[in-house]
Amino acid sequence: MDVIRLEGVSFRYPDGRLALEDLSVSMAPGERVALVGPNGAGKSTLLHIMAGLFVPSAGKAVVKGVELNRKSAPEVRRHVGLMFQDPDDQIFMPSVWEDVAFGPTNYGLPEDEVRRRVVEAMRMTGIEGFEERVPHRLSLGEKKRVAMAGLLTMSPDLLLLDEPTANLDPQGRREFVEILEKRNEAIVIATHDLSVAFHLAKRVLVLKTKLLYDGDVFGLIQDRKVLREARLELPSFSRLIQRWAEETGKEFRPPATVDEALEILRHNYCCRDQGAKHEH
Amino acid sequence: MLTSLEAVVLAGTFVLLLIAISKVPISHLARQFAIALIFILFAALSMLLYRGWENALIIGLRISACVLALLLMVTTTPFFKMIKAMRWMHIPKLMASLLMFTYRFIFLLLDEMDRMRLARQARGFTGGRSLLDKRALRTIANTIGMTFVRANARATNIYDALLMRGYSGEIRDFERLKTKPRDVIFAVCFGMVVALTLSVELGVLTWT
């Protein structure tokens, strides 16, 4: 069974603005999808629908076999974890421990089970030792980890992340990506950062009110029309290799990650002891 | 309500004893108390004019003891524990939730206002030529209005985040408040002081 299925979903805000139009998408359990698009494309709206916070104006959204409507929304939300762009919107309790325990406590789980989940979630997000710390005094990166831990304690089938690496320093971004790499749940990452998107997901949805593209990363990298329409810019290493391929006339699959770019350079650039022959 | 001077002095002495045991810095309490002092003096003065010095003293001491007790409680008890205690005393859960949200997010609201103040200053706003400067008043009014608009938008996000973590109208406790031996000792002492004070108030016990 798909973890989520959207059929012809449209959403219009009360002020009349059309945020999403005729979207049809499905995700298998454990699948990772990057959701990209320009500002105002409807990414956050789509995440809110997937999370059961908004009900579609038209079409159908089904999460773990439950069709989303006002009555079923609380049940849908039990299967989904949504990480907001600003962790201050999410972190609520006076200590990190209490905040991470907030979700399972609300669901009435026994104290032992809550404790077990909190310890495990804090270990997975690297915030062991933060138990008594005051959440609103943490750094942005630490707050994001606390927010993440708070979601993981609820054991969702689907994790929705709204710009999870926004405003993080490079090291913080890398550490957060490492946390996500180890997860087994289905994940949707809404992000402007294509290097993070390509690193974590093999499938990309490009959104601009409508779905412009639903396919693999390599197809997107080569589809200049979609990239232009969605105002997307490839990671610098992808652009570098593409330009180099154009200038040298070589043909190879454009890289989606730094490792792939490095492999291309190793494969195509001559060895060091032959380097003298190729000096300009 | 205590009306005899001896009872009020007894109650006040108990509060001062608690302050001494609590080791809260006196300067901190004094600064907070100073704010209430103006109102206490006003009340005492009014009583002095109409009912004499003894009643003025009683009301002044009584209000002072209440204010000091409240300040001591607020200074020594984490806010969320106070909310838990309120719920234990069956304060309506809506009220407890509202208090908790207000306390948690008032700091964010103050941050928003501060950011807007800096934004105004960065674009040359200096507060106007006088209190009646229309442009300045309009700017400040807009800032206050925008604070509420942004707070409302923020509140929507916060509520959504709470819903996503199973919130259904009440913050449940992970750990229930547990009674410790020193709580029992305090309760007994407090009970004894109350009994003694009431005895003095009702004339069952007298100083002489």
Side-chain angles (χ1 to χ4, degrees):
Chain A
M1 176 171 63
D2 288 331
V3 71
I4 188 165
R5 194 174 74 248
L6 307 179
E7 294 170 8
V9 163
S10 297
F11 186 85
R12 192 179 288 275
Y13 280 98
D15 63 3
R17 184 170 65 91
L18 184 65
L20 294 173
E21 189 178 348
D22 196 27
L23 243 77
S24 292
V25 154
S26 63
M27 276 180 73
E31 189 178 5
R32 288 188 199 167
V33 171
L35 178 61
V36 302
N39 293 333
K43 299 189 296 293
S44 292
T45 306
L46 179 57
L47 291 183
H48 275 62
I49 289 173
M50 288 174 153
L53 291 170
F54 291 171
V55 174
S57 308
K60 195 161 76 164
V62 181
V63 178
K64 289 289 282 183
V66 178
E67 186 174 339
L68 175 64
N69 52 47
R70 283 189 211 290
K71 211 170 161 189
S72 68
E75 195 191 335
V76 164
R77 289 196 283 261
R78 289 185 85 115
H79 297 290
V80 183
L82 172 60
M83 187 165 146
F84 288 71
Q85 194 170 336
D86 185 349
D88 276 321
D89 288 344
Q90 199 165 334
I91 296 170
F92 177 73
M93 298 300 277
S95 73
V96 168
W97 177 276
E98 285 177 282
D99 197 86
V100 176
F102 183 75
T105 306
N106 277 336
Y107 285 143
L109 296 181
E111 200 174 306
D112 287 344
E113 176 63 14
V114 173
R115 196 179 298 276
R116 186 191 67 77
R117 288 189 185 203
V118 170
V119 166
E120 182 62 15
M122 289 181 74
R123 186 189 61 76
M124 285 192 280
T125 50
I127 54 171
E128 293 144 298
F130 279 44
E131 288 80 359
E132 296 306 315
R133 288 181 64 176
V134 180
H136 64 265
R137 292 199 187 131
L138 300 175
S139 69
L140 178 63
E142 289 167 341
K143 282 181 190 174
K144 291 208 175 202
R145 288 166 186 256
V146 171
M148 185 71 179
L151 297 182
L152 295 180
T153 51
M154 295 165 64
S155 301
D157 297 296
L158 173 63
L159 270 176
L160 306 173
L161 310 172
D162 196 350
E163 303 279 0
T165 59
N167 299 319
L168 288 179
D169 57 52
Q171 179 69 15
R173 196 182 316 136
R174 201 170 307 124
E175 286 166 0
F176 203 86
V177 167
E178 282 170 10
I179 293 169
L180 294 178
E181 275 176 331
K182 294 173 190 161
R183 302 307 312 159
N184 296 321
E185 300 90 351
I187 299 178
V188 177
I189 309 152
T191 181
H192 288 297
D193 189 339
L194 291 190
S195 60
V196 167
F198 292 170
H199 185 82
L200 284 169
K202 294 288 171 275
R203 181 180 166 199
V204 183
L205 303 179
V206 179
L207 196 62
K208 194 178 175 184
T209 306
K210 293 185 184 182
L211 199 59
L212 298 181
Y213 179 88
D214 178 358
D216 68 25
V217 164
F218 304 106
L220 175 65
I221 290 172
Q222 292 172 294
D223 195 331
R224 292 187 186 213
K225 183 168 173 283
V226 166
L227 290 173
R228 201 168 36 248
E229 197 178 339
R231 297 162 62 92
L232 295 172
E233 203 166 81
L234 294 176
S236 50
F237 55 83
S238 294
R239 294 200 312 271
L240 172 69
I241 299 295
Q242 269 191 337
R243 289 275 302 270
W244 183 51
E246 283 162 15
E247 285 182 15
T248 57
K250 290 178 186 283
E251 279 187 28
F252 37 74
R253 198 163 81 155
T257 65
V258 169
D259 289 337
E260 287 174 15
L262 197 57
E263 198 49 44
I264 289 167
L265 289 173
R266 274 198 201 110
H267 190 69
N268 286 276
Y269 193 69
C270 295
C271 302
R272 193 178 282 193
D273 57 359
Q274 296 175 356
K277 294 182 189 175
H278 297 274
E279 279 177 10
H280 295 287
Chain B
M1 190 167 69
L2 301 177
T3 55
S4 88
L5 185 60
E6 293 88 355
V8 169
V9 166
L10 201 58
T13 306
F14 179 62
V15 172
L16 291 173
L17 195 64
L18 287 177
I19 290 172
I21 295 168
S22 70
K23 296 180 188 168
V24 170
I26 301 295
S27 56
H28 173 77
L29 274 181
R31 270 198 304 274
Q32 309 287 318
F33 184 72
I35 300 167
L37 194 57
I38 301 161
F39 301 98
I40 295 170
L41 289 173
F42 182 75
L45 189 64
S46 308
M47 195 55 88
L48 179 68
L49 292 172
Y50 290 100
R51 302 281 278 272
W53 69 269
E54 196 175 326
N55 284 307
L57 189 62
I58 288 169
I59 200 161
L61 287 175
R62 195 168 68 214
I63 299 173
S64 299
C66 290
V67 169
L68 282 171
L70 196 63
L71 286 174
L72 185 63
M73 186 186 75
V74 166
T75 308
T76 56
T77 311
F79 191 80
F80 278 80
K81 273 220 168 97
M82 278 198 284
I83 301 290
K84 281 185 193 179
M86 283 183 195
R87 285 295 297 132
W88 181 79
M89 289 189 283
H90 300 290
I91 299 287
K93 66 180 179 187
L94 177 62
M95 192 163 170
S97 296
L98 282 173
L99 279 170
M100 190 145 44
F101 288 130
T102 305
Y103 177 76
R104 169 66 182 90
F105 294 111
I106 201 162
F107 302 105
L108 287 178
L109 202 62
L110 290 171
D111 271 348
E112 292 272 356
M113 290 183 73
D114 202 45
R115 270 200 289 273
M116 285 196 277
R117 180 185 62 80
L118 288 171
R120 282 198 316 254
Q121 273 181 350
R123 293 202 282 169
F125 181 75
T126 53
R129 289 184 295 266
S130 74
L131 282 175
L132 298 174
D133 185 325
K134 276 189 187 170
R135 191 169 172 276
L137 285 174
R138 201 178 307 128
T139 303
I140 291 166
N142 282 338
T143 308
I144 293 169
M146 279 314 297
T147 303
F148 283 106
V149 169
R150 283 159 71 145
N152 185 52
R154 187 125 211 200
T156 307
N157 285 344
I158 289 162
Y159 184 65
D160 285 345
L162 288 170
L163 285 179
M164 288 309 302
R165 293 206 282 165
Y167 177 71
S168 54
E170 184 169 13
I171 308 288
R172 288 201 199 183
D173 300 323
F174 168 64
E175 272 175 297
R176 304 213 173 274
L177 292 171
K178 286 178 186 137
T179 308
K180 295 182 185 131
R182 65 176 181 194
D183 297 326
V184 175
I185 294 167
F186 177 79
V188 167
C189 291
F190 184 71
M192 284 166 59
V193 169
V194 168
L196 192 63
T197 308
L198 282 176
S199 302
V200 170
E201 172 71 17
L202 296 170
V204 174
L205 283 174
T206 55
W207 292 122
T208 52

